[in-house]
Amino acid sequence: MPGPRMPLRTAAALIGSLSLAASLTACDGGSASSAGSGGGEKTVTVYSADGLKSDKGDGWYDKVFADFTKKTGIEVKYVEGGSGEMVQRALREKTNTQADVLVTLPPFIQQADGKGLLQSYEPQGSDKVNGADKAADGKWTSVVNNYFGFIYDKKELAEAPKTWEELLDATYKGKLQYSTPGVAGDGTAVLVKAMHDFGGKEPAMEYLKKLQANNVGPSSSTSKLAPKTDKGELLVANGDVQMNHAQSKSMPNLGIWFPARDGGGPTTFALPYAAGLVDKAPHGENGKKLLDYLLGEDAQKLVSQVGGGFPARTDVKPTDANAVELAKIMAGVEVFEPDWADIDKNLSAYVDAWKSATGS
């Protein structure tokens, strides 16, 4: 386990208005659902990257939204999609703001800030969040910490791959897939890690060009790759530790691993779910209350136990079974810190380079 703190945590057209009857699936283009009951001003709308809500209703969002509604009477309206999708949707609605709270992975939370989509608000408990996991001006704060990772099918593979280079083997042809950079936060994270591990943009793109021969193709949804891997349709896919650990409870063939270069050790980086109050939020006061609740001790204590992730608050140190398992997963893995300012500034160029290299 790297250090005493677990720092963190990656635009198609979507339906034009929120509907409580609509059904959303992760990263597939977004949909709306709700937690609790009520209407009028007793509502708060959340646009979020996938991974914290469960189709079975037993995810961290499911629990904390229900508890929040019970405590405050404020109904949570929920819209889910890829990090890039959520930012693009909020940007399209900038003159008619619909969301109150935006939750995405880096670098999309920085992108949202840069596009003027967020307003400053420091939630109660944010003083317990490490400085690297929040904006200095209060525009966003991590609510769940996480790490980038890969998954593999434990039933089909005797052991996890160890290196990027192994993935070029013909064994993985048509059996490997990663989500789309620039659309999904975890997909963008593939670029971030490849550029780190290979020492820059050009060698990373050279590798990803070779890897494309084995790649099934684009996917706007990271979470949808796990069921394919569990069923053996894929041998390897990208993901993140929190989401995949939670999914493994119902998908027993999922294993988590971290690619290394030949001769090197496994590496990863923090990939938090970062939340911000949307500028001109229609229910801004309710948005503040929800952010306070998400960073409250009760909700943070459930991050590992229910959500399979890492608390954002450094003073919350869980000892539940999930926390123990997560510590084992992270043992011996080097955690590096990306230059998020550079990635935010050059993201379009990096994505364009990936498109050119892979023919996507």
Side-chain angles (χ1 to χ4, degrees), residues 1-7 146-150 160-162 164 193 196-197 240-241 255-261 264-271 310 325-337:
M1 191 77 156
R5 115 172 161 41
M6 295 300 283
N146 197 7
Y147 296 92
F148 175 69
F150 269 66
K162 292 183 173 59
W164 289 103
K193 181 162 160 56
H196 170 270
D197 288 3
D240 62 70
V241 175
I256 298 173
W257 68 289
F258 306 91
R261 287 295 309 278
T267 66
T268 188
F269 61 95
L271 203 59
F310 307 88
E325 289 179 19
L326 289 166
K328 291 179 180 178
I329 290 171
M330 296 300 300
V333 181
E334 177 190 348
V335 179
F336 65 89
E337 186 172 333

Side-chain angles (χ1 to χ4, degrees), residues 4-331:
R5 115 172 161 41
M6 295 300 283
L8 242 245
R9 60 198 344 109
T10 0
L14 302 174
I15 49 177
S17 62
L18 295 177
S19 169
L20 297 185
S23 165
L24 261 190
T25 55
C27 286
D28 284 320
S31 57
S33 59
S34 68
S37 60
E41 295 304 306
K42 298 291 283 185
T43 64
V44 60
T45 298
V46 178
Y47 284 9
S48 178
D50 65 320
L52 295 176
K53 195 174 190 300
S54 169
D55 291 339
K56 296 183 177 181
D58 57 358
W60 187 67
Y61 271 163
D62 300 285
K63 173 63 174 172
V64 297
F65 286 172
D67 290 348
F68 173 75
T69 298
K70 183 176 181 180
K71 181 177 180 180
T72 66
I74 298 171
E75 175 189 12
V76 180
K77 295 181 179 179
Y78 179 72
V79 177
E80 182 179 273
S83 288
E85 287 181 81
M86 293 297 93
V87 172
Q88 289 301 317
R89 178 166 180 162
L91 186 62
R92 290 196 301 272
E93 297 171 348
K94 196 171 182 181
T95 58
N96 183 27
T97 307
Q98 301 295 311
D100 301 301
V101 172
L102 179 66
V103 185
T104 78
L105 309 182
F108 295 99
I109 197 68
Q110 291 91 341
Q111 184 183 83
D113 185 13
K115 293 181 181 298
L117 295 177
L118 305 176
Q119 59 175 297
S120 294
Y121 178 66
E122 297 182 2
Q124 296 175 22
S126 62
D127 59 317
K128 303 297 185 181
V129 175
N130 190 282
D133 298 332
K134 60 186 177 183
D137 61 0
K139 292 292 184 65
W140 56 268
T141 305
S142 297
V143 293
V144 171
N145 284 348
N146 197 7
Y147 296 92
F148 175 69
F150 269 66
I151 52 175
Y152 74 103
D153 185 333
K154 294 193 294 185
K155 183 178 179 181
E156 298 295 329
L157 298 176
E159 61 180 8
K162 292 183 173 59
T163 67
W164 289 103
E165 288 82 359
E166 284 184 57
L167 300 183
L168 300 177
D169 189 87
T171 301
Y172 299 99
K173 187 172 181 62
K175 292 287 189 176
L176 176 149
Q177 191 172 19
Y178 59 90
S179 51
T180 307
V183 175
D186 288 323
T188 305
V190 173
L191 293 188
V192 174
K193 181 162 160 56
M195 288 191 292
H196 170 270
D197 288 3
F198 286 92
K201 182 180 76 171
E202 296 306 323
M205 298 309 158
E206 182 179 345
Y207 168 80
L208 292 171
K209 181 178 182 179
K210 296 176 183 177
L211 186 66
Q212 194 67 9
N214 289 344
N215 188 15
V216 170
S219 171
S220 63
S221 168
T222 307
S223 66
K224 294 301 180 183
L225 301 182
K228 294 180 180 180
T229 306
D230 182 62
K231 294 174 184 176
E233 295 174 23
L234 298 173
L235 294 178
V236 169
N238 70 312
D240 62 70
V241 175
Q242 176 276 325
M243 178 174 65
N244 295 142
H245 182 262
Q247 289 171 319
S248 70
K249 300 302 180 181
S250 59
M251 301 177 194
N253 295 324
L254 290 188
I256 298 173
W257 68 289
F258 306 91
R261 287 295 309 278
D262 268 343
T267 66
T268 188
F269 61 95
L271 203 59
Y273 292 91
L277 186 65
V278 176
D279 187 47
K280 299 181 178 63
H283 306 101
E285 291 305 310
N286 293 347
K288 292 177 181 179
K289 291 177 181 178
L290 179 61
L291 288 170
D292 289 346
Y293 193 82
L294 295 179
L295 273 178
E297 285 191 49
D298 289 345
Q300 287 290 299
K301 288 176 180 177
L302 294 174
V303 168
S304 59
Q305 181 181 343
V306 175
F310 307 88
R313 289 179 55 151
T314 58
D315 62 332
V316 175
K317 303 183 185 298
T319 58
D320 58 88
N322 281 342
V324 173
E325 289 179 19
L326 289 166
K328 291 179 180 178
I329 290 171
M330 296 300 300

